[in-house]
Amino acid sequence: MRGFDDDRLRLGSTAWKVWRGFVLRSTALPLAELTEAIGGERPAEEPPGPETLGPALDLARADVFTQALLWQNPQALDEVVGSLLRHTKGESSTAGATGRTARRAERGRRFKTRMLGQYLQRYYTRNESVGFFGPVAWGTFRDGPPMTLKAGPGLTDQRHVMFEDWAVHELGLSLSRPMEIRRRLPPALVVGVARMGRTLLRGGERPRRLSQPEAALAKLVDGRRTAADIGTALGDEAAALDMLDVLEDEGYINWTFDIPLDLEPEKALLNQLAALEPTPAVDTALAGLGQLIAARDAVAGAATAETLSRTLEEAERLYSEMARRPAARSRRHNGKGFGLLVSAERRAVDLTVGTGLLDELAPPLGLLLDSARWFCRRIGEEATGWLTAGHRELAALYGKDDVPLDALIGRVDARLWDEASCAPVREELSSRWEEILAPDPAARRLAYSTAELAAAVAEKFAGPAPVWYGGRHHSPDVMIAAESVEAINRGEYQAVMGELHPGMTTFDCDSMTCCAADPREVVLRPAEAALADGPPRFVPLHHRAAGGATGFDHPPPDTYSSRYTYLSFGERAGARQVPSEPVEASSVTVAQRADGLVARFLDGTVLPLLTVLGEYLIYQTGTGFRVLPARPHTPRVTVDRLVIARECWRIPVEEFLPRPGMSPEQLYAQVQAVAAAHGLPRHCFWRTARAQKPLYLDLHSPLLTHVLVHTLAEGKPRQSLTFTEMLPTPDELWLPDGEDKRYTSELRITVSDG
């Protein structure tokens, strides 16, 4: 491979440039433990024995599994694992029950068995990048052998424990209640609320008419003046505080600490408290926050499940006392992150991949990337349609062609975040690939060379690159099927495309960068280098109310760039803080020109609207890339040495549903019969909807077949299940730990359009 610049490498002879750094994502538990415990070498047709749960519970009692569950859902330790242990020992409170009580207890036991199976399959088979059960490591593409690896003595060698930003925000709400603090905080209009004369406007609601005193107050609410300053300006602080209370209760203003969406939100709260005039309430809050931070640090140092449990409980107790609320939020909440703390861990491994291996993957990978370029451009065209319609509606309301950018975003926000909005484009992508490949419906394996497909791909996916920065970046997750590193170095391997995330740099989030030795070197430098090849980058500073954004969302503070333009959507709205002065979206106007919508800036700059708003399209482009459309069966498709599509089956749910009165043995036999009829392999993944995370199925495991059947029986009716072959297979796992136990893994790569 010939180098291109210091931070990116030319991808073979293609026009693409691959970032020199990559991320290794993996599991924290070796797959062989799971297959041996709950699958084993017993023939699939042999019915399950009476002690099926015993080996699974042995795995669940292990310290490493207990730690993973403490991070994800500590209540499950007693409610699931503990309850099933008591049942197997005959110590359940319903032991010996009959009638309705017995039936209810049996339903509960089935549910808990299903939950245990779901946790086990996740921790042993899902490559993650957050939490104790998904350690990551950064690697580098270098000249040299195909792979060089050195595993450390332990599984991980670095742990970062952070507060969830929602929890610190809720703590800030509680700490801001005392009036001696409250009056020193600046209120700000909620994002989406606009003031026009004596009226407050919020989309989709009746305008809020302000009294004369309220209108005078509203003019002063700018996110910078404190409540006390506003009261002084109005000449009546008590009356001002009362009016602010009313407007806050009605949801028109934020009047609390401004906690940003990042993974160190406590620093913002600490700084804002320290900036206040010392009072008993401020001193108490600072002391309590110091204790909470110390408790967080104690959690980070916990080396065993017992210590982790104790330190987590102490941190949650302190938080609940300060915040006056539980240290967790309801799982019905539509955002991410439910606990007080989250961890990210670095896998103890040093890894380099030779540029020669990358050269071998370059031709087929280049074909996929060419189609990803087309895909992003088509998503942009689709989005332009919604934006044009939204602009037309707002122009009629404003009585002029120039429409504020923030108002337009608010108009189409739901469609920008809704994946279904671009479903036709995803279907078109798969249809075009199907026309190129012309797969035989009866075939199970199809193999092509890049030379055979190149002309058709160039024709079907012709066109220029998208006009926005993110649309020129794509992130493939590449898996390698090989029995060992040594086998890879002998050339005995098969590359497999896991997922391709078009239009996004998956490195650009805190769960990745916090485990990098130098985030600026592995993320910022190649990201800035890409600016030389294309459009500028506009980064929205997502506010707290924006579509489920969290502290994990990009861009991380440690990859701040003065060469990006950051877009702000309001004061004190929970947006991530940046050192430079962001551009206020309300100051940018959108106008219709003959060649499309443009954004106009106060300094006279005029750019295509998608150049400015393209970063929002990540939520449309980043998921759902699929080579072949949904069919009852699609084959494995290999191009050169890269599997670009794994074998898939879509089977009606009804074929798996239990009939009344079926015993566990009969259910197990039914699943085996359906699987054999369709030719499913022993190891595969299944899901009922595209948005659902795949679940692992070992057809030799009664426990995992139980998870399948009872999830379907208790779920909403669906037309079909999607099964995908597990590839690499369990005997093709090359990633070892210091004891040579093997783990599933993938290489997450980012590629720039040349």
Side-chain angles (χ1 to χ4, degrees):
M1 173 175 288
R2 57 189 179 85
F4 180 75
D5 58 38
D6 288 341
D7 307 296
R8 299 177 301 165
L9 304 164
R10 182 71 68 180
L11 182 61
S13 59
T14 74
W16 298 94
K17 301 162 193 171
V18 61
W19 292 18
R20 188 179 289 276
F22 62 84
V23 169
L24 171 69
R25 301 207 316 162
S26 60
T27 60
L29 297 171
L31 182 58
E33 287 185 358
L34 183 68
T35 55
E36 291 169 7
I38 66 173
E41 297 307 316
R42 174 187 44 74
E45 63 273 11
E46 181 180 315
E51 299 301 324
T52 300
L53 267 184
L57 287 169
D58 288 341
L59 294 178
R61 285 183 292 192
D63 193 87
V64 64
F65 183 92
T66 302
Q67 288 193 57
L69 206 51
L70 281 168
W71 279 112
Q72 187 188 359
N73 186 7
Q75 289 77 19
L77 281 172
D78 183 64
E79 295 174 4
V80 175
V81 178
S83 177
L84 290 173
L85 282 168
R86 291 189 292 272
H87 175 82
T88 58
K89 295 177 181 178
E91 298 172 356
S92 171
S93 60
T94 57
T98 59
R100 183 179 300 176
T101 301
R103 290 192 295 274
R104 187 165 56 247
E106 178 58 21
R107 285 196 299 271
R109 188 192 67 80
R110 285 202 303 266
F111 173 78
K112 292 165 187 174
T113 300
R114 173 158 61 94
M115 294 304 296
L116 174 62
Q118 288 182 347
Y119 287 124
L120 285 167
Q121 65 82 29
R122 175 176 184 177
Y123 298 155
Y124 280 96
T125 69
R126 277 245 304 268
N127 301 320
E128 304 269 8
S129 53
V130 63
F132 173 80
F133 43 87
V136 303
W138 283 84
T140 308
F141 291 114
R142 297 183 185 277
D143 292 331
M147 184 173 286
T148 304
L149 179 144
K150 180 181 179 182
L155 181 70
T156 63
D157 58 10
Q158 194 178 106
R159 172 186 285 178
H160 302 269
V161 176
M162 299 150 285
F163 290 105
E164 290 276 15
D165 62 81
W166 74 264
V168 180
H169 171 66
E170 293 290 337
L171 178 59
L173 290 173
S174 178
L175 295 181
S176 67
R177 287 299 143 197
M179 189 53 68
E180 58 189 287
I181 290 178
R182 193 168 174 75
R183 61 189 296 273
R184 294 299 179 190
L185 298 178
L189 290 178
V190 168
V191 173
V193 174
R195 182 181 62 82
M196 295 184 67
R198 289 182 57 180
T199 302
L200 293 180
L201 301 174
R202 184 161 49 194
E205 296 183 11
R206 179 177 298 178
R208 166 60 154 89
R209 184 69 173 168
L210 300 172
S211 66
Q212 189 65 45
E214 286 176 331
L217 175 136
K219 288 182 180 179
L220 301 174
V221 173
D222 59 4
R224 297 179 178 85
R225 293 183 179 92
T226 68
D229 292 338
I230 292 173
T232 299
L234 294 177
D236 189 341
E237 182 174 324
L241 296 177
D242 287 342
M243 287 187 286
L244 288 170
D245 269 330
V246 170
L247 292 176
E248 183 188 37
D249 289 343
E250 293 177 356
Y252 290 102
I253 66 168
N254 288 318
W255 187 15
T256 183
F257 292 101
D258 185 28
I259 307 303
L261 290 168
D262 65 42
L263 291 185
E264 294 183 315
E266 75 285 355
K267 290 185 177 179
L269 180 55
L270 196 61
N271 291 337
Q272 291 171 53
L273 278 167
L276 297 176
E277 178 185 346
T279 67
V282 170
D283 292 343
T284 299
L286 283 169
L289 187 55
Q291 289 180 313
L292 190 59
I293 291 171
R296 184 271 316 271
D297 294 343
V299 171
T304 65
E306 180 181 0
T307 308
L308 180 61
S309 177
R310 185 175 67 253
T311 53
L312 278 172
E313 286 180 5
E314 175 61 12
E316 290 168 357
R317 181 190 67 79
L318 286 170
Y319 176 85
S320 296
E321 288 180 357
M322 290 184 67
R324 303 177 188 276
R325 57 154 292 141
R329 61 178 172 179
S330 169
R331 293 190 174 261
R332 292 190 295 271
H333 193 277
N334 63 3
K336 301 173 184 177
F338 302 101
L340 171 64
L341 298 169
V342 64
S343 73
E345 306 217 11
R346 199 195 91 90
R347 191 177 193 98
V349 63
D350 293 325
L351 178 65
T352 61
V353 171
T355 53
L357 187 151
L358 204 53
D359 278 337
E360 285 201 306
L361 299 184
L365 184 54
L367 299 181
L368 288 176
L369 293 168
D370 289 347
S371 68
R373 176 197 292 133
W374 172 93
F375 178 68
C376 287
R377 191 179 67 255
R378 280 286 294 113
I379 293 284
E381 293 168 356
E382 198 78 8
T384 297
W386 324 324
L387 291 163
T388 301
H391 176 270
R392 188 183 307 117
E393 294 165 0
L394 288 173
L397 289 174
Y398 279 85
K400 57 181 181 179
D401 185 56
D402 289 339
V403 170
L405 178 64
D406 59 339
L408 180 57
I409 293 174
R411 195 75 169 185
V412 301
D413 183 68
R415 300 199 73 172
L416 287 168
W417 290 82
D418 182 6
E419 288 184 12
S421 298
C422 288
V425 180
R426 296 185 185 91
E427 293 170 4
E428 185 182 357
L429 170 77
S430 299
S431 295
R432 289 179 178 237
W433 266 111
E434 188 175 43
E435 291 173 12
I436 293 168
L437 298 171
D440 178 355
R444 298 198 62 171
R445 303 285 184 270
L446 295 177
Y448 304 86
S449 68
T450 298
E452 289 178 87
L453 303 179
V457 168
E459 178 187 352
K460 290 288 184 183
F461 299 112
V467 298
W468 73 94
Y469 177 93
R472 297 172 180 237
H473 289 79
H474 313 296
S475 296
D477 294 338
V478 177
M479 299 179 287
I480 298 177
E483 65 178 19
S484 65
V485 171
E486 292 74 21
I488 293 172
N489 288 331
R490 293 194 300 268
E492 299 168 3
Y493 69 88
Q494 175 77 67
V496 181
M497 179 60 62
E499 286 186 277
L500 174 56
H501 305 280
M504 66 185 301
T505 57
T506 49
F507 297 163
D508 216 358
C509 65
D510 279 318
S511 59
M512 300 288 187
T513 60
C514 70
C515 292
D518 185 350
R520 298 182 65 83
E521 179 178 343
V522 293
V523 176
L524 183 62
R525 283 173 51 182
E528 287 187 330
L531 293 170
D533 304 324
R537 186 180 189 186
F538 286 82
V539 180
L541 296 173
H542 292 302
H543 51 88
R544 188 161 296 282
T550 75
F552 280 105
D553 291 315
H554 71 286
D558 48 15
T559 58
Y560 163 79
S561 172
S562 60
R563 297 176 64 187
Y564 301 158
T565 299
Y566 293 87
L567 294 172
S568 171
F569 293 88
E571 295 291 337
R572 303 184 68 79
R576 182 162 284 167
Q577 305 298 303
V578 291
S580 60
E581 187 69 26
V583 172
E584 294 183 9
S586 59
S587 72
V588 182
T589 57
V590 179
Q592 181 72 56
R593 284 186 171 178
D595 56 351
L597 292 172
V598 296
R600 294 171 171 165
F601 293 79
L602 291 178
D603 64 0
T605 300
V606 178
L607 292 169
L609 181 59
L610 283 185
T611 300
V612 179
L613 285 190
E615 206 88 2
Y616 274 94
L617 299 185
I618 285 173
Y619 307 101
Q620 296 293 341
T621 63
T623 59
F625 183 97
R626 188 172 61 201
V627 169
L628 291 176
R631 303 282 186 241
H633 171 262
T634 51
R636 180 194 298 176
V637 179
T638 305
V639 181
D640 299 339
R641 297 194 70 163
L642 177 65
V643 175
I644 66 169
R646 287 167 285 178
E647 189 174 11
C648 287
W649 300 258
R650 289 158 189 89
I651 303 174
V653 168
E654 291 73 17
E655 295 191 31
F656 291 97
L657 293 179
R659 297 186 300 277
M662 289 185 77
S663 68
E665 292 79 10
Q666 290 171 321
L667 279 174
Y668 180 77
Q670 175 175 285
V671 171
Q672 303 305 319
V674 174
H678 290 276
L680 295 182
R682 171 183 170 182
H683 304 282
C684 54
F685 291 90
W686 64 272
R687 58 183 169 187
T688 57
R690 189 174 63 81
Q692 177 197 325
K693 295 291 187 181
L695 279 74
Y696 169 66
L697 174 63
D698 178 349
L699 283 166
H700 286 197
S701 167
L703 174 61
L704 295 182
T705 56
H706 171 101
V707 171
L708 168 68
V709 170
H710 289 288
T711 299
L712 300 179
E714 297 174 15
K716 297 178 181 178
R718 294 180 176 91
Q719 291 185 341
S720 67
L721 282 168
T722 298
F723 289 86
T724 304
E725 65 173 324
M726 183 181 188
L727 192 69
T729 61
D731 57 355
E732 296 175 318
L733 306 181
W734 59 270
L735 177 62
D737 62 13
E739 299 176 355
D740 205 33
K741 296 176 181 178
R742 301 305 175 92
Y743 300 78
T744 67
S745 64
E746 65 187 19
L747 306 181
R748 176 158 281 186
I749 301 166
T750 287
V751 185
S752 306
D753 204 318

